Amino acid sequence: MTAMPPLGRDLARAWLAAAVDEARQGLREGGIPIGAALFAADGELLGSGHNRRVQDGDPSTHGETDAFRRAGRQRSYRGTTMVTTLSPCWYCSGLVRQFGISRVVIGEATTFHGGHDWLAENGVEIMVLEDPECIGLMTDFIEAQPDLWNEDIGEED
């Protein structure tokens, strides 16, 4: 397999803006502020989405799965980059591995440390930005709605 060209932090932050826009949209809709975007190897935005578990009543609609679905069918996901505002949970980490997404850019892993170490151990390139805006979105949300957050991550009261 050919190595992907390196992704600079400036470009990663520019791509993160699409995911942050989605997270803010989810929050405006009364949902959980997690957004994601899937980019092709050439930088084309294939699809973006946000966590819509609350809005749709569908526990499988996480930010990454929504972006993935909106990207539509691709012949291959090799060389693509999933950009997400929050470290992906095990469910979304499994999606990355199942479909061979090559790289994941994470806005923050301070409020939730998902499966990104496992992804890295299995050959997925990981970049964690620890973006202050992403941290603020989640910190504020968790403080305001701890029950909804615990439901989202599968924690009991």
Side-chain angles (χ1 to χ4, degrees):
M1 180 168 89
T2 333
M4 289 185 315
L7 178 65
R9 290 182 88 73
D10 289 343
L11 182 56
R13 287 187 185 284
W15 287 358
L16 180 62
V20 170
D21 287 347
E22 287 285 347
R24 290 192 176 287
Q25 177 64 32
L27 188 60
R28 282 191 298 274
E29 294 170 359
I32 299 162
I34 303 170
L38 185 65
F39 288 88
D42 66 2
E44 175 190 0
L45 176 61
L46 299 172
S48 63
H50 54 274
N51 185 306
R52 292 192 346 260
R53 291 178 65 256
V54 173
Q55 299 91 312
D56 295 353
D58 179 352
S60 69
T61 310
H62 291 203
E64 297 89 341
T65 60
D66 192 35
F68 183 76
R69 289 173 181 155
R70 291 171 187 258
R73 183 175 168 218
Q74 305 293 314
R75 186 179 164 282
S76 171
Y77 296 89
R78 188 169 287 126
T80 61
T81 299
M82 179 68 75
V83 180
T84 180
T85 58
L86 184 65
S87 178
C89 69
W90 287 110
Y91 170 60
C92 295
S93 294
L95 178 142
V96 169
R97 286 276 291 139
Q98 173 70 30
F99 291 95
I101 293 170
S102 301
R103 179 188 291 138
V104 178
V105 172
I106 299 164
E108 67 105 344
T110 298
T111 60
F112 179 75
H113 191 104
H116 70 264
D117 291 336
W118 174 74
L119 288 172
E121 290 166 6
N122 286 279
V124 177
E125 182 184 329
I126 300 295
M127 179 185 289
V128 181
L129 298 173
E130 294 301 5
D131 180 77
E133 185 175 9
C134 291
I135 294 169
L137 270 171
M138 287 311 303
T139 301
D140 292 348
F141 177 78
I142 292 167
E143 185 177 307
Q145 299 200 47
D147 291 343
L148 188 53
W149 170 242
N150 287 331
E151 175 189 325
D152 192 62
I153 60 171
E155 296 288 327
E156 294 185 24
D157 294 334

Coordinates of all heavy atoms in Angstrom, one line a residue, residues 49-102:
G49 N -21.6 15.3 8.9 CA -22.8 15.0 9.7 C -22.6 15.2 11.2 O -21.5 15.6 11.6
H50 N -23.6 15.0 12.0 CA -23.5 15.2 13.4 C -24.3 14.1 14.1 O -25.2 13.5 13.5 CB -23.9 16.6 13.8 CG -25.3 17.0 13.3 ND1 -25.5 17.6 12.1 CD2 -26.5 16.9 13.9 CE1 -26.8 17.8 11.9 NE2 -27.4 17.4 13.0
N51 N -24.0 14.0 15.4 CA -24.7 13.1 16.3 C -26.2 13.5 16.3 O -26.5 14.6 16.6 CB -24.1 13.1 17.7 CG -24.7 12.1 18.6 OD1 -26.0 12.0 18.8 ND2 -23.9 11.3 19.2
R52 N -27.1 12.5 15.9 CA -28.5 12.8 15.8 C -29.3 11.8 16.6 O -30.5 11.5 16.2 CB -29.0 12.9 14.3 CG -28.4 14.0 13.6 CD -29.0 14.3 12.2 NE -29.8 13.3 11.7 CZ -29.4 12.4 10.7 NH1 -28.2 12.5 10.2 NH2 -30.2 11.5 10.3
R53 N -28.7 11.2 17.6 CA -29.4 10.2 18.4 C -30.7 10.7 19.0 O -31.7 10.0 19.0 CB -28.4 9.7 19.5 CG -27.3 8.9 19.1 CD -26.4 8.5 20.2 NE -27.1 7.6 21.1 CZ -27.6 7.9 22.3 NH1 -27.5 9.2 22.8 NH2 -28.2 7.1 23.0
V54 N -30.6 11.9 19.5 CA -31.8 12.5 20.2 C -32.8 12.9 19.1 O -34.0 12.6 19.2 CB -31.3 13.7 21.0 CG1 -32.5 14.5 21.6 CG2 -30.4 13.3 22.1
Q55 N -32.3 13.6 18.1 CA -33.2 14.2 17.1 C -34.0 13.0 16.4 O -35.2 13.2 16.1 CB -32.5 15.0 16.1 CG -31.8 16.2 16.7 CD -30.3 15.9 17.1 OE1 -30.1 14.9 17.7 NE2 -29.4 16.8 16.7
D56 N -33.3 12.0 16.0 CA -33.9 10.9 15.2 C -34.4 9.7 16.1 O -35.0 8.8 15.5 CB -32.9 10.3 14.2 CG -32.5 11.4 13.2 OD1 -33.0 12.5 13.1 OD2 -31.5 11.1 12.4
G57 N -34.1 9.7 17.4 CA -34.4 8.6 18.2 C -33.7 7.3 17.7 O -34.2 6.2 17.9
D58 N -32.5 7.5 17.2 CA -31.8 6.4 16.6 C -30.4 6.3 17.3 O -29.6 7.2 17.0 CB -31.6 6.6 15.1 CG -30.8 5.5 14.4 OD1 -30.2 4.6 15.1 OD2 -30.7 5.5 13.1
P59 N -30.2 5.3 18.1 CA -28.9 5.2 18.8 C -27.7 5.0 18.0 O -26.6 5.1 18.4 CB -29.1 4.1 19.8 CG -30.2 3.2 19.2 CD -31.1 4.2 18.4
S60 N -27.9 4.7 16.7 CA -26.7 4.4 15.8 C -26.3 5.7 15.0 O -25.3 5.6 14.3 CB -27.1 3.3 14.8 OG -28.0 3.7 13.9
T61 N -27.0 6.8 15.2 CA -26.6 7.9 14.4 C -25.7 8.8 15.2 O -26.0 9.8 15.8 CB -27.9 8.7 14.0 OG1 -28.8 7.9 13.4 CG2 -27.5 9.8 13.0
H62 N -24.4 8.4 15.2 CA -23.3 9.2 15.8 C -22.8 10.1 14.7 O -23.1 10.0 13.5 CB -22.2 8.3 16.3 CG -22.6 7.4 17.4 ND1 -21.6 6.9 18.3 CD2 -23.8 7.0 17.9 CE1 -22.2 6.2 19.2 NE2 -23.6 6.3 19.0
G63 N -22.0 11.1 15.1 CA -21.4 12.0 14.2 C -20.7 11.4 13.0 O -20.9 11.7 11.8
E64 N -19.8 10.4 13.3 CA -19.0 9.7 12.3 C -19.9 8.9 11.4 O -19.7 8.9 10.2 CB -18.0 8.8 13.0 CG -16.9 9.6 13.8 CD -17.3 9.8 15.2 OE1 -18.5 9.7 15.6 OE2 -16.4 10.1 16.1
T65 N -20.9 8.2 12.0 CA -21.8 7.4 11.1 C -22.6 8.2 10.2 O -22.9 7.9 9.0 CB -22.7 6.4 11.9 OG1 -23.5 7.2 12.8 CG2 -21.8 5.4 12.7
D66 N -23.0 9.4 10.7 CA -23.8 10.3 9.9 C -23.0 10.8 8.7 O -23.4 10.9 7.6 CB -24.4 11.4 10.7 CG -25.4 12.3 10.1 OD1 -26.2 11.7 9.3 OD2 -25.5 13.5 10.3
A67 N -21.8 11.3 9.0 CA -20.9 11.7 7.9 C -20.6 10.6 6.9 O -20.6 10.9 5.7 CB -19.6 12.2 8.5
F68 N -20.4 9.4 7.4 CA -20.1 8.3 6.6 C -21.3 8.0 5.6 O -21.1 7.8 4.4 CB -19.8 7.1 7.4 CG -19.4 5.8 6.7 CD1 -18.1 5.7 6.1 CD2 -20.3 4.8 6.6 CE1 -17.8 4.5 5.5 CE2 -20.0 3.6 5.9 CZ -18.7 3.5 5.4
R69 N -22.5 8.0 6.2 CA -23.7 7.7 5.4 C -23.9 8.8 4.3 O -24.2 8.5 3.2 CB -24.9 7.6 6.3 CG -24.9 6.4 7.1 CD -26.1 6.4 8.1 NE -26.1 5.2 8.9 CZ -26.6 5.2 10.1 NH1 -27.2 6.3 10.7 NH2 -26.6 4.1 10.8
R70 N -23.6 10.1 4.7 CA -23.8 11.2 3.8 C -22.8 11.2 2.7 O -23.0 11.8 1.6 CB -23.9 12.5 4.6 CG -25.1 12.6 5.4 CD -25.0 13.8 6.3 NE -26.2 13.9 7.2 CZ -27.2 14.7 7.1 NH1 -27.3 15.5 6.1 NH2 -28.2 14.7 8.0
A71 N -21.6 10.6 3.0 CA -20.6 10.5 1.9 C -21.0 9.6 0.8 O -20.5 9.7 -0.3 CB -19.3 10.0 2.5
G72 N -21.9 8.7 1.1 CA -22.4 7.8 0.0 C -21.4 6.7 -0.2 O -20.3 6.7 0.3
R73 N -21.8 5.8 -1.0 CA -21.0 4.6 -1.4 C -19.7 5.1 -2.1 O -19.8 5.8 -3.1 CB -21.8 3.7 -2.2 CG -21.0 2.4 -2.5 CD -22.0 1.5 -3.3 NE -21.2 0.4 -3.8 CZ -21.4 -0.2 -5.0 NH1 -22.4 0.2 -5.7 NH2 -20.6 -1.1 -5.4
Q74 N -18.6 4.6 -1.6 CA -17.3 4.8 -2.3 C -16.7 3.5 -2.7 O -16.9 2.5 -2.0 CB -16.3 5.5 -1.3 CG -16.8 6.8 -0.7 CD -17.0 7.9 -1.7 OE1 -16.2 8.2 -2.5 NE2 -18.2 8.6 -1.6
R75 N -16.0 3.4 -3.8 CA -15.4 2.2 -4.2 C -14.4 1.7 -3.1 O -14.3 0.5 -2.8 CB -14.7 2.3 -5.5 CG -14.2 1.1 -6.1 CD -13.5 1.3 -7.5 NE -12.7 0.2 -7.8 CZ -11.5 -0.1 -7.3 NH1 -10.9 0.7 -6.4 NH2 -10.8 -1.1 -7.7
S76 N -13.7 2.6 -2.5 CA -12.7 2.3 -1.5 C -12.6 3.5 -0.6 O -12.8 4.6 -1.0 CB -11.4 2.0 -2.1 OG -10.4 1.9 -1.1
Y77 N -12.3 3.2 0.7 CA -12.1 4.3 1.7 C -10.7 4.4 2.0 O -10.3 5.3 2.8 CB -13.0 4.0 2.9 CG -14.4 4.0 2.6 CD1 -15.1 2.9 2.2 CD2 -15.2 5.2 2.6 CE1 -16.4 2.9 1.9 CE2 -16.5 5.2 2.3 CZ -17.1 4.1 1.9 OH -18.5 4.1 1.6
R78 N -9.8 3.7 1.3 CA -8.4 3.8 1.5 C -7.9 5.2 1.1 O -8.3 5.7 0.1 CB -7.6 2.8 0.7 CG -6.1 2.7 1.0 CD -5.5 1.5 0.3 NE -5.9 0.3 1.1 CZ -6.4 -0.8 0.5 NH1 -6.6 -0.8 -0.8 NH2 -6.7 -1.8 1.2
G79 N -7.2 5.9 2.0 CA -6.7 7.2 1.7 C -7.7 8.3 2.2 O -7.3 9.5 2.2
T80 N -8.8 7.9 2.7 CA -9.8 8.9 3.3 C -9.4 9.3 4.7 O -8.7 8.5 5.4 CB -11.2 8.4 3.2 OG1 -11.4 7.3 4.0 CG2 -11.7 8.2 1.8
T81 N -9.9 10.4 5.1 CA -9.7 10.9 6.5 C -11.0 11.3 7.1 O -11.8 12.1 6.6 CB -8.8 12.2 6.4 OG1 -7.5 11.9 5.9 CG2 -8.6 12.8 7.8
M82 N -11.3 10.7 8.3 CA -12.4 11.0 9.1 C -12.0 12.1 10.1 O -11.0 11.8 10.8 CB -13.0 9.8 9.8 CG -14.2 10.1 10.7 SD -15.7 10.5 9.8 CE -16.2 8.9 9.2
V83 N -12.7 13.2 10.1 CA -12.4 14.3 11.0 C -13.6 14.3 11.9 O -14.7 14.4 11.5 CB -12.2 15.6 10.3 CG1 -11.9 16.7 11.2 CG2 -11.1 15.5 9.2
T84 N -13.3 14.3 13.2 CA -14.3 14.3 14.2 C -14.0 15.2 15.4 O -12.8 15.4 15.7 CB -14.6 12.8 14.7 OG1 -15.7 12.8 15.7 CG2 -13.4 12.2 15.3
T85 N -15.0 15.8 16.0 CA -14.8 16.8 17.0 C -14.4 16.1 18.3 O -13.8 16.7 19.2 CB -16.0 17.6 17.3 OG1 -17.1 16.8 17.6 CG2 -16.3 18.5 16.1
L86 N -14.7 14.8 18.5 CA -14.4 14.1 19.7 C -13.8 12.7 19.4 O -14.2 12.1 18.4 CB -15.7 13.9 20.5 CG -15.6 13.2 21.9 CD1 -14.8 14.1 22.8 CD2 -17.0 13.0 22.4
S87 N -12.9 12.2 20.2 CA -12.4 10.9 20.0 C -13.5 9.8 19.8 O -14.5 9.8 20.5 CB -11.6 10.4 21.3 OG -11.1 9.2 21.2
P88 N -13.4 9.0 18.7 CA -14.5 8.1 18.4 C -14.7 7.0 19.4 O -13.7 6.5 19.9 CB -14.0 7.6 17.0 CG -12.6 7.8 17.0 CD -12.2 8.9 17.8
C89 N -15.9 6.8 19.7 CA -16.3 5.7 20.6 C -15.9 4.3 19.9 O -15.5 4.3 18.7 CB -17.8 5.7 20.8 SG -18.8 5.3 19.4
W90 N -16.2 3.2 20.6 CA -15.8 1.9 20.0 C -16.6 1.6 18.8 O -16.1 1.0 17.8 CB -16.0 0.8 21.1 CG -15.0 0.9 22.1 CD1 -15.1 1.2 23.4 CD2 -13.6 0.6 21.9 NE1 -13.9 1.2 24.0 CE2 -12.9 0.8 23.1 CE3 -12.8 0.1 20.8 CZ2 -11.6 0.6 23.3 CZ3 -11.5 -0.1 21.0 CH2 -10.8 0.1 22.2
Y91 N -17.9 2.0 18.8 CA -18.8 1.8 17.6 C -18.2 2.5 16.4 O -18.1 1.9 15.3 CB -20.2 2.3 18.0 CG -21.2 2.4 16.9 CD1 -21.5 1.3 16.1 CD2 -21.8 3.6 16.6 CE1 -22.5 1.3 15.1 CE2 -22.8 3.7 15.6 CZ -23.1 2.6 14.9 OH -24.1 2.7 13.9
C92 N -17.8 3.8 16.5 CA -17.3 4.5 15.4 C -15.9 4.1 15.0 O -15.5 4.2 13.9 CB -17.4 6.0 15.7 SG -19.2 6.5 15.8
S93 N -15.1 3.7 16.0 CA -13.8 3.2 15.8 C -13.9 1.9 14.9 O -13.1 1.7 14.0 CB -13.0 2.9 17.1 OG -12.8 4.1 17.8
G94 N -14.9 1.1 15.2 CA -15.1 -0.1 14.4 C -15.5 0.2 13.0 O -15.0 -0.4 12.0
L95 N -16.3 1.3 12.8 CA -16.6 1.7 11.4 C -15.3 2.1 10.6 O -15.2 1.7 9.5 CB -17.6 2.9 11.5 CG -18.0 3.5 10.1 CD1 -19.4 3.9 10.2 CD2 -17.1 4.7 9.8
V96 N -14.4 2.8 11.3 CA -13.2 3.2 10.7 C -12.4 2.0 10.2 O -11.9 1.9 9.1 CB -12.3 4.1 11.6 CG1 -10.9 4.3 11.1 CG2 -13.0 5.5 11.8
R97 N -12.3 1.0 11.1 CA -11.5 -0.2 10.8 C -12.2 -1.1 9.7 O -11.6 -1.6 8.8 CB -11.3 -1.1 12.1 CG -10.3 -0.5 13.0 CD -8.9 -0.9 12.7 NE -8.8 -2.3 12.9 CZ -8.1 -3.2 12.2 NH1 -7.5 -2.7 11.1 NH2 -8.0 -4.4 12.4
Q98 N -13.5 -1.2 9.9 CA -14.3 -2.1 9.0 C -14.1 -1.6 7.5 O -14.0 -2.4 6.6 CB -15.8 -2.0 9.3 CG -16.7 -2.7 8.3 CD -16.6 -4.2 8.4 OE1 -16.3 -4.8 9.4 NE2 -16.8 -4.9 7.2
F99 N -14.1 -0.3 7.3 CA -14.1 0.2 5.9 C -12.8 0.7 5.5 O -12.6 1.2 4.4 CB -15.2 1.3 5.7 CG -16.6 0.7 5.8 CD1 -17.3 0.6 7.0 CD2 -17.1 0.1 4.7 CE1 -18.5 0.0 7.0 CE2 -18.4 -0.5 4.7 CZ -19.1 -0.6 5.9
G100 N -11.7 0.6 6.3 CA -10.4 0.9 5.9 C -10.1 2.4 5.8 O -9.2 2.8 5.0
I101 N -10.8 3.2 6.6 CA -10.5 4.6 6.6 C -9.1 4.8 7.1 O -8.7 4.2 8.1 CB -11.5 5.4 7.4 CG1 -12.9 5.3 6.7 CG2 -11.1 6.8 7.6 CD1 -14.0 5.8 7.5
S102 N -8.2 5.5 6.4 CA -6.8 5.5 6.7 C -6.3 6.4 7.8 O -5.3 6.2 8.4 CB -6.0 5.9 5.4 OG -6.3 5.0 4.3

